[in-house]
Amino acid sequence: MSVVLSGSPALAPLLARGALLSPFKRPRPDAGFPRDRLVLPGLRIDLARLAAYERVCGFATGDDALPLTYPHVLGFPLAMRLMSGRGFPLPLLGLVHTSVEITRRRALAATGEYELAVHVGGLAPHRRGTEASVITEVRTGGEVVWESRSAYLARHRTARTAEPPGTDRRGTDLRGSDPRETEPRGTDSRGTDPHGTDPHGTDLRGTDPRETDPPGTEPRETEPPVAVPGPLPAVAEWHLGGDVGRRYGAASGDRNPIHLYPLTARLFGFPRAVAHGMWTAARCLAAHGAPERVRVRAEFRAPVLLPGTVTYAADGGRFELRGGERVHVSGVVEDLGPGGR
């Protein structure tokens, strides 16, 4: 059912409601979820707020075209209205934004008028809990010109894993450490024996030692090894101030306490304030650039602590943000061309 709103809801009360209801949520992939589609018609852009967003994210200011990531900011209050309600089964506290995919079919003018719609796409099992997808669409003249799909993970015990809370699906501890660093000696970061076998006895070089050929038979052909892409070449080093989370929060409206101050971040297990995931994606895309018709996917792999220093790296359509050897964000930019969908 479509619910038409007369204005964008205020974020602060929604965040407070979501925090209060979080202890009573029991996440599971087969739970019910809100089926409403929230629609905000006649949306016009606040140009002063847009300019603040462009400055903090590194986009060029003064252009009439909206930055690729800005409609996510416009849709965030509607998403929070859905996710903070009683009908949404995942607790808002501790919810981790794991990825976003954005498709832009044409440039959006900052002076245009749009219809904004947000709905929950569904729930799915995840090896570390339950993941929800939230879909945001921007229409003009009845045509969808921009859409995104964000994945949010609620971490909890599942039948597939007994790993402690605080890790994402790639094994990265969201509180700042990597559980792979505590693996026993003699294994590499994939949990495999460095001599070429995994714990189940499968030879990672292409054969299984339990399936040896009998003497006198011709050796079997094996598939050539798959090339694993190496680190992307560094393009720039960015020194991030401790106020990045507060500046982005003021421009976007997302004032989650983990992003604001060291004290408020420590209440949630972080040693310092953490940069917004969507800020890291926007900052990378501001540096990378994107064609008019484009699809972008960004994976949020580890938090960026503030203040800090990170390396922006890119090659072709790929980009990433690194801190030392740790990859914080990785992404792909796909040019859809004139006939792209």
Coordinates of all heavy atoms in Angstrom, one line a residue, residues 85-158:
G85 N 9.9 1.7 13.1 CA 8.5 1.4 13.6 C 8.5 0.0 14.2 O 9.4 -0.8 14.1
R86 N 7.3 -0.3 14.9 CA 7.1 -1.6 15.5 C 7.1 -2.7 14.5 O 7.5 -3.8 14.9 CB 5.8 -1.5 16.3 CG 5.8 -0.6 17.5 CD 4.5 -0.6 18.3 NE 4.5 0.3 19.4 CZ 5.0 0.0 20.6 NH1 5.6 -1.1 20.8 NH2 5.0 1.0 21.5
G87 N 6.6 -2.5 13.3 CA 6.5 -3.5 12.4 C 7.8 -4.0 11.7 O 7.8 -5.1 11.1
F88 N 8.8 -3.2 11.9 CA 10.1 -3.6 11.3 C 10.8 -4.5 12.3 O 11.1 -4.1 13.4 CB 11.0 -2.4 11.0 CG 12.2 -2.7 10.2 CD1 12.2 -3.0 8.9 CD2 13.5 -2.6 10.8 CE1 13.3 -3.3 8.2 CE2 14.6 -2.8 10.1 CZ 14.6 -3.2 8.8
P89 N 11.2 -5.8 11.9 CA 11.7 -6.7 12.9 C 13.1 -6.6 13.3 O 13.6 -7.3 14.3 CB 11.5 -8.1 12.2 CG 11.7 -7.7 10.7 CD 11.1 -6.3 10.6
L90 N 13.9 -5.8 12.7 CA 15.4 -5.7 13.0 C 15.6 -4.5 13.9 O 15.0 -3.4 13.7 CB 16.2 -5.5 11.8 CG 16.0 -6.5 10.6 CD1 17.1 -6.3 9.6 CD2 16.1 -7.9 11.2
P91 N 16.4 -4.6 15.0 CA 16.6 -3.5 15.9 C 17.4 -2.4 15.2 O 18.4 -2.7 14.6 CB 17.4 -4.2 17.1 CG 18.0 -5.4 16.5 CD 17.1 -5.9 15.4
L92 N 17.0 -1.2 15.4 CA 17.7 -0.1 14.8 C 19.1 0.1 15.4 O 20.1 0.3 14.7 CB 16.9 1.2 15.0 CG 17.3 2.4 14.0 CD1 17.2 2.0 12.6 CD2 16.5 3.6 14.3
L93 N 19.2 -0.1 16.7 CA 20.5 0.0 17.4 C 21.4 -1.2 17.0 O 20.9 -2.4 17.1 CB 20.4 0.0 18.9 CG 19.9 1.3 19.6 CD1 19.8 1.1 21.1 CD2 20.8 2.4 19.2
G94 N 22.6 -1.0 16.5 CA 23.5 -2.0 16.1 C 23.3 -2.4 14.6 O 24.0 -3.3 14.1
L95 N 22.3 -1.8 13.9 CA 22.1 -2.2 12.5 C 23.3 -1.7 11.7 O 23.7 -0.5 11.8 CB 20.8 -1.5 12.0 CG 20.1 -2.2 10.9 CD1 19.7 -3.6 11.2 CD2 18.8 -1.4 10.5
V96 N 23.8 -2.5 10.8 CA 25.0 -2.2 10.0 C 24.7 -2.1 8.6 O 24.1 -3.0 8.0 CB 26.1 -3.3 10.2 CG1 27.3 -3.0 9.4 CG2 26.5 -3.5 11.7
H97 N 25.0 -0.9 8.0 CA 24.9 -0.7 6.6 C 26.0 -1.4 5.8 O 27.1 -1.0 5.9 CB 24.9 0.8 6.3 CG 24.4 1.2 4.9 ND1 24.4 2.5 4.4 CD2 23.8 0.4 3.9 CE1 23.9 2.5 3.2 NE2 23.6 1.3 2.9
T98 N 25.7 -2.5 5.1 CA 26.7 -3.3 4.6 C 27.0 -3.0 3.1 O 28.1 -3.3 2.6 CB 26.4 -4.8 4.7 OG1 25.1 -5.1 4.1 CG2 26.3 -5.3 6.2
S99 N 26.0 -2.5 2.4 CA 26.3 -2.3 0.9 C 25.2 -1.3 0.4 O 24.1 -1.2 1.0 CB 26.3 -3.5 0.1 OG 25.0 -4.1 0.0
V100 N 25.5 -0.7 -0.7 CA 24.5 0.1 -1.5 C 24.8 -0.1 -2.9 O 25.9 -0.2 -3.4 CB 24.6 1.6 -1.0 CG1 25.9 2.2 -1.4 CG2 23.4 2.3 -1.6
E101 N 23.7 -0.2 -3.7 CA 23.8 -0.2 -5.2 C 22.9 0.9 -5.7 O 21.7 1.0 -5.3 CB 23.3 -1.5 -5.7 CG 23.4 -1.6 -7.2 CD 23.0 -3.0 -7.8 OE1 23.8 -3.9 -7.6 OE2 21.9 -3.1 -8.4
I102 N 23.4 1.8 -6.5 CA 22.7 2.9 -7.0 C 22.7 2.9 -8.5 O 23.7 2.6 -9.2 CB 23.4 4.2 -6.6 CG1 23.4 4.4 -5.1 CG2 22.8 5.5 -7.3 CD1 24.2 5.6 -4.5
T103 N 21.5 3.1 -9.1 CA 21.4 3.2 -10.6 C 20.8 4.6 -10.9 O 19.8 4.9 -10.4 CB 20.5 2.1 -11.1 OG1 21.0 0.8 -10.7 CG2 20.4 2.2 -12.6
R104 N 21.5 5.3 -11.8 CA 21.1 6.6 -12.2 C 20.9 6.5 -13.7 O 21.8 6.2 -14.5 CB 22.0 7.7 -11.9 CG 21.6 9.1 -12.4 CD 22.5 10.2 -11.9 NE 23.8 10.1 -12.6 CZ 24.9 10.8 -12.2 NH1 24.8 11.7 -11.2 NH2 26.0 10.7 -12.9
R105 N 19.6 6.8 -14.2 CA 19.3 6.7 -15.6 C 19.5 8.0 -16.4 O 19.6 8.0 -17.6 CB 17.9 6.1 -15.8 CG 17.8 4.7 -15.2 CD 16.4 4.1 -15.4 NE 16.4 2.6 -15.0 CZ 16.3 2.2 -13.8 NH1 16.0 3.1 -12.8 NH2 16.3 0.9 -13.5
R106 N 19.5 9.1 -15.7 CA 19.8 10.3 -16.3 C 20.1 11.3 -15.2 O 19.8 11.1 -14.0 CB 18.7 10.9 -17.2 CG 17.4 11.2 -16.5 CD 16.5 11.8 -17.6 NE 15.2 12.2 -17.1 CZ 14.9 13.3 -16.5 NH1 15.8 14.2 -16.2 NH2 13.6 13.6 -16.1
A107 N 20.7 12.4 -15.5 CA 21.1 13.4 -14.5 C 19.9 14.1 -13.9 O 18.8 14.2 -14.6 CB 22.0 14.5 -15.2
L108 N 20.0 14.4 -12.7 CA 18.9 15.0 -11.9 C 19.2 16.5 -11.6 O 20.3 16.7 -11.0 CB 18.6 14.3 -10.6 CG 17.7 13.0 -10.7 CD1 18.5 11.9 -11.4 CD2 17.4 12.6 -9.3
A109 N 18.4 17.4 -12.1 CA 18.7 18.8 -11.8 C 18.4 19.2 -10.4 O 17.4 18.8 -9.8 CB 17.9 19.7 -12.8
A110 N 19.3 20.0 -9.8 CA 19.1 20.4 -8.4 C 17.8 21.3 -8.3 O 17.3 21.4 -7.2 CB 20.3 21.2 -7.9
T111 N 17.4 21.9 -9.4 CA 16.2 22.8 -9.4 C 15.0 22.1 -9.8 O 13.9 22.7 -9.9 CB 16.5 24.0 -10.3 OG1 16.9 23.5 -11.6 CG2 17.6 24.9 -9.7
G112 N 15.0 20.8 -10.0 CA 13.9 20.0 -10.4 C 12.9 19.7 -9.3 O 13.2 20.0 -8.1
E113 N 11.8 19.1 -9.7 CA 10.8 18.7 -8.7 C 10.6 17.2 -8.9 O 10.5 16.7 -10.0 CB 9.4 19.4 -8.9 CG 8.4 19.0 -7.9 CD 7.1 19.9 -8.0 OE1 7.2 21.1 -8.0 OE2 6.0 19.3 -8.2
Y114 N 10.5 16.4 -7.8 CA 10.6 14.9 -7.9 C 9.6 14.3 -7.0 O 9.1 14.9 -6.0 CB 12.0 14.4 -7.6 CG 13.1 15.0 -8.4 CD1 13.8 16.1 -7.9 CD2 13.3 14.6 -9.7 CE1 14.8 16.7 -8.7 CE2 14.3 15.1 -10.5 CZ 15.0 16.2 -10.0 OH 16.0 16.7 -10.8
E115 N 9.3 13.0 -7.3 CA 8.6 12.2 -6.4 C 9.5 11.2 -5.8 O 10.3 10.5 -6.5 CB 7.4 11.4 -7.1 CG 6.7 10.5 -6.2 CD 5.6 9.7 -6.9 OE1 4.5 10.2 -7.2 OE2 5.9 8.5 -7.3
L116 N 9.5 11.1 -4.5 CA 10.4 10.2 -3.8 C 9.6 9.0 -3.1 O 8.6 9.3 -2.6 CB 11.2 10.9 -2.7 CG 12.3 10.3 -1.9 CD1 13.5 10.0 -2.8 CD2 12.7 11.1 -0.7
A117 N 10.1 7.8 -3.3 CA 9.4 6.7 -2.7 C 10.4 5.7 -2.1 O 11.5 5.5 -2.6 CB 8.5 5.9 -3.8
V118 N 10.0 5.1 -0.9 CA 10.9 4.2 -0.2 C 10.0 3.0 0.3 O 8.9 3.2 0.8 CB 11.6 4.9 1.0 CG1 12.4 3.9 1.8 CG2 12.4 6.0 0.6
H119 N 10.6 1.8 0.2 CA 9.9 0.6 0.7 C 11.0 -0.4 1.1 O 12.1 -0.4 0.6 CB 8.9 0.0 -0.3 CG 9.5 -0.6 -1.5 ND1 9.9 0.1 -2.6 CD2 9.8 -1.9 -1.8 CE1 10.4 -0.7 -3.5 NE2 10.3 -1.9 -3.0
V120 N 10.5 -1.3 1.9 CA 11.4 -2.5 2.3 C 11.3 -3.5 1.3 O 10.2 -4.0 1.0 CB 11.0 -3.0 3.7 CG1 11.9 -4.2 4.1 CG2 11.2 -1.9 4.8
G121 N 12.4 -3.9 0.7 CA 12.4 -4.9 -0.4 C 12.2 -6.3 0.1 O 11.7 -7.2 -0.6
G122 N 12.7 -6.6 1.4 CA 12.5 -7.9 1.9 C 13.6 -8.2 2.9 O 14.5 -7.4 3.2
L123 N 13.5 -9.4 3.5 CA 14.5 -9.9 4.5 C 15.2 -11.1 3.9 O 14.6 -11.9 3.1 CB 13.9 -10.3 5.8 CG 13.1 -9.2 6.5 CD1 12.5 -9.7 7.8 CD2 14.0 -8.0 6.8
A124 N 16.5 -11.3 4.3 CA 17.2 -12.5 3.8 C 18.1 -13.0 4.9 O 18.7 -12.2 5.6 CB 18.0 -12.1 2.5
P125 N 18.3 -14.4 4.9 CA 19.3 -14.9 5.9 C 20.7 -14.5 5.5 O 21.0 -14.4 4.3 CB 19.0 -16.4 5.8 CG 18.5 -16.6 4.4 CD 17.6 -15.4 4.1
H126 N 21.5 -14.3 6.5 CA 22.9 -13.9 6.3 C 23.7 -14.8 7.3 O 23.2 -15.1 8.3 CB 23.0 -12.4 6.6 CG 24.4 -11.8 6.3 ND1 25.5 -12.1 7.2 CD2 24.8 -11.0 5.3 CE1 26.5 -11.4 6.7 NE2 26.2 -10.8 5.6
R127 N 24.9 -15.1 6.9 CA 25.7 -16.0 7.7 C 26.0 -15.4 9.1 O 26.3 -16.1 10.1 CB 27.0 -16.3 7.1 CG 28.0 -15.1 6.8 CD 29.2 -15.5 6.0 NE 30.0 -16.5 6.7 CZ 31.1 -16.2 7.3 NH1 31.5 -14.9 7.4 NH2 31.8 -17.1 7.9
R128 N 25.8 -14.1 9.3 CA 25.9 -13.5 10.6 C 24.6 -12.9 11.2 O 24.7 -12.2 12.1 CB 27.0 -12.4 10.6 CG 28.4 -12.9 10.1 CD 29.4 -12.0 10.6 NE 30.7 -12.2 9.9 CZ 31.5 -13.2 10.2 NH1 31.2 -14.1 11.1 NH2 32.7 -13.4 9.5
G129 N 23.5 -13.2 10.6 CA 22.2 -12.7 11.1 C 21.2 -12.6 10.0 O 21.0 -13.5 9.3
T130 N 20.5 -11.5 10.0 CA 19.4 -11.2 9.1 C 19.7 -9.9 8.4 O 20.0 -8.9 9.0 CB 18.0 -11.2 9.7 OG1 17.8 -12.5 10.3 CG2 16.9 -10.9 8.8
E131 N 19.5 -9.8 7.1 CA 19.8 -8.6 6.3 C 18.5 -8.2 5.7 O 17.7 -9.0 5.1 CB 20.8 -8.9 5.2 CG 21.5 -7.7 4.6 CD 22.7 -8.1 3.8 OE1 22.5 -8.8 2.8 OE2 23.8 -7.6 4.1
A132 N 18.2 -6.9 5.7 CA 17.1 -6.2 5.1 C 17.5 -5.4 4.0 O 18.6 -4.7 4.0 CB 16.3 -5.4 6.1
S133 N 16.7 -5.3 2.9 CA 17.0 -4.4 1.8 C 16.0 -3.3 1.8 O 14.8 -3.6 2.0 CB 17.0 -5.2 0.4 OG 15.7 -5.7 0.2
V134 N 16.4 -2.1 1.6 CA 15.6 -0.9 1.6 C 15.8 -0.2 0.2 O 16.9 0.1 -0.1 CB 15.9 0.1 2.7 CG1 15.0 1.3 2.6 CG2 15.7 -0.6 4.1
I135 N 14.7 0.0 -0.5 CA 14.8 0.5 -1.9 C 14.2 1.9 -1.9 O 13.1 2.2 -1.4 CB 14.0 -0.5 -2.8 CG1 14.6 -1.9 -2.8 CG2 13.9 0.1 -4.2 CD1 13.7 -2.9 -3.5
T136 N 15.0 2.8 -2.5 CA 14.6 4.2 -2.7 C 14.5 4.5 -4.2 O 15.4 4.1 -4.9 CB 15.6 5.1 -2.0 OG1 15.8 4.8 -0.6 CG2 15.2 6.6 -2.2
E137 N 13.4 5.1 -4.6 CA 13.2 5.5 -6.0 C 12.9 7.0 -6.1 O 12.2 7.6 -5.3 CB 12.1 4.7 -6.6 CG 12.3 3.2 -6.6 CD 11.0 2.5 -7.0 OE1 9.9 3.0 -6.8 OE2 11.2 1.4 -7.6
V138 N 13.5 7.6 -7.2 CA 13.2 9.0 -7.5 C 12.5 9.0 -8.9 O 13.1 8.4 -9.8 CB 14.5 9.9 -7.5 CG1 14.1 11.3 -8.0 CG2 15.1 9.9 -6.1
R139 N 11.4 9.6 -9.0 CA 10.6 9.7 -10.2 C 10.4 11.1 -10.7 O 10.3 12.0 -9.8 CB 9.2 9.0 -10.1 CG 9.2 7.5 -10.1 CD 7.8 7.0 -9.9 NE 7.7 5.6 -10.2 CZ 8.0 4.6 -9.4 NH1 8.4 4.9 -8.1 NH2 7.9 3.3 -9.7
T140 N 10.4 11.3 -12.0 CA 10.0 12.5 -12.5 C 9.1 12.2 -13.8 O 9.5 11.4 -14.6 CB 11.1 13.5 -12.9 OG1 10.7 14.7 -13.4 CG2 12.1 12.8 -13.8
G141 N 8.0 12.8 -13.9 CA 7.1 12.5 -15.0 C 6.7 11.1 -15.0 O 6.4 10.5 -16.1
G142 N 6.6 10.4 -13.9 CA 6.2 9.0 -13.8 C 7.3 8.0 -14.1 O 7.1 6.8 -14.0
E143 N 8.5 8.5 -14.5 CA 9.6 7.6 -14.8 C 10.6 7.5 -13.7 O 11.0 8.6 -13.1 CB 10.3 8.2 -16.1 CG 11.6 7.5 -16.5 CD 12.4 8.2 -17.5 OE1 12.0 9.3 -17.9 OE2 13.4 7.7 -17.9
V144 N 11.1 6.3 -13.4 CA 12.1 6.1 -12.4 C 13.4 6.6 -13.0 O 13.9 6.0 -13.9 CB 12.2 4.7 -11.9 CG1 13.4 4.5 -10.9 CG2 10.9 4.3 -11.2
V145 N 14.0 7.6 -12.4 CA 15.3 8.1 -13.0 C 16.5 7.8 -12.1 O 17.6 7.9 -12.5 CB 15.2 9.6 -13.2 CG1 14.2 9.9 -14.4 CG2 14.8 10.4 -12.0
W146 N 16.2 7.4 -10.8 CA 17.3 7.1 -9.9 C 16.7 6.1 -8.9 O 15.6 6.2 -8.5 CB 17.7 8.3 -9.2 CG 18.9 8.2 -8.2 CD1 20.2 8.6 -8.5 CD2 18.9 7.7 -6.9 NE1 21.0 8.3 -7.4 CE2 20.2 7.8 -6.4 CE3 17.9 7.2 -6.0 CZ2 20.5 7.4 -5.1 CZ3 18.2 6.8 -4.8 CH2 19.5 6.9 -4.3
E147 N 17.5 5.1 -8.6 CA 17.0 4.1 -7.5 C 18.3 3.6 -6.8 O 19.4 3.5 -7.4 CB 16.2 3.0 -8.1 CG 16.9 2.1 -9.1 CD 15.9 1.1 -9.8 OE1 15.1 0.6 -9.0 OE2 16.1 0.9 -11.0
S148 N 18.0 3.1 -5.6 CA 19.1 2.5 -4.8 C 18.5 1.4 -4.0 O 17.3 1.3 -3.7 CB 19.7 3.5 -3.9 OG 18.9 3.8 -2.8
R149 N 19.4 0.4 -3.7 CA 19.1 -0.7 -2.8 C 20.2 -0.8 -1.8 O 21.3 -1.1 -2.1 CB 19.0 -2.0 -3.6 CG 18.7 -3.3 -2.8 CD 18.7 -4.5 -3.6 NE 17.6 -4.5 -4.6 CZ 16.4 -5.0 -4.3 NH1 16.1 -5.6 -3.2 NH2 15.4 -4.9 -5.2
S150 N 19.8 -0.5 -0.5 CA 20.7 -0.6 0.6 C 20.5 -1.8 1.4 O 19.3 -2.2 1.6 CB 20.5 0.6 1.5 OG 21.2 1.8 1.0
A151 N 21.5 -2.5 1.8 CA 21.4 -3.7 2.7 C 21.8 -3.3 4.1 O 22.9 -2.7 4.3 CB 22.3 -4.8 2.1
Y152 N 21.0 -3.7 5.1 CA 21.3 -3.4 6.5 C 21.3 -4.8 7.2 O 20.3 -5.6 7.1 CB 20.2 -2.5 7.0 CG 20.2 -1.1 6.4 CD1 19.4 -0.8 5.4 CD2 21.1 -0.1 6.9 CE1 19.4 0.5 4.8 CE2 21.1 1.1 6.4 CZ 20.2 1.4 5.3 OH 20.2 2.7 4.8
L153 N 22.3 -5.0 8.0 CA 22.5 -6.3 8.7 C 22.2 -6.1 10.2 O 22.8 -5.3 10.8 CB 23.9 -6.8 8.4 CG 24.3 -8.0 9.2 CD1 23.5 -9.3 8.8 CD2 25.8 -8.3 9.0
A154 N 21.4 -7.0 10.7 CA 21.2 -7.2 12.1 C 22.0 -8.4 12.5 O 21.6 -9.5 12.1 CB 19.7 -7.3 12.5
R155 N 23.0 -8.3 13.4 CA 23.8 -9.4 13.7 C 23.2 -10.2 14.9 O 22.8 -9.6 15.9 CB 25.2 -8.9 14.1 CG 26.0 -8.4 12.9 CD 27.2 -7.6 13.4 NE 26.7 -6.3 14.0 CZ 27.6 -5.5 14.6 NH1 28.8 -5.8 14.7 NH2 27.1 -4.4 15.2
H156 N 23.1 -11.5 14.7 CA 22.6 -12.4 15.8 C 23.0 -13.8 15.5 O 23.5 -14.1 14.3 CB 21.1 -12.3 15.9 CG 20.3 -12.7 14.6 ND1 20.0 -14.0 14.3 CD2 19.8 -11.9 13.6 CE1 19.3 -14.0 13.2 NE2 19.2 -12.7 12.7
R157 N 22.9 -14.7 16.4 CA 23.3 -16.0 16.2 C 22.4 -16.7 15.2 O 21.2 -16.5 15.2 CB 23.3 -16.8 17.5 CG 24.4 -16.5 18.5 CD 24.4 -17.4 19.7 NE 25.5 -17.2 20.6 CZ 26.7 -17.8 20.5 NH1 26.8 -18.7 19.5 NH2 27.7 -17.5 21.3
T158 N 23.1 -17.5 14.4 CA 22.3 -18.3 13.4 C 22.8 -19.7 13.5 O 23.7 -20.1 14.2 CB 22.6 -17.8 11.9 OG1 24.0 -18.1 11.6 CG2 22.4 -16.3 11.8

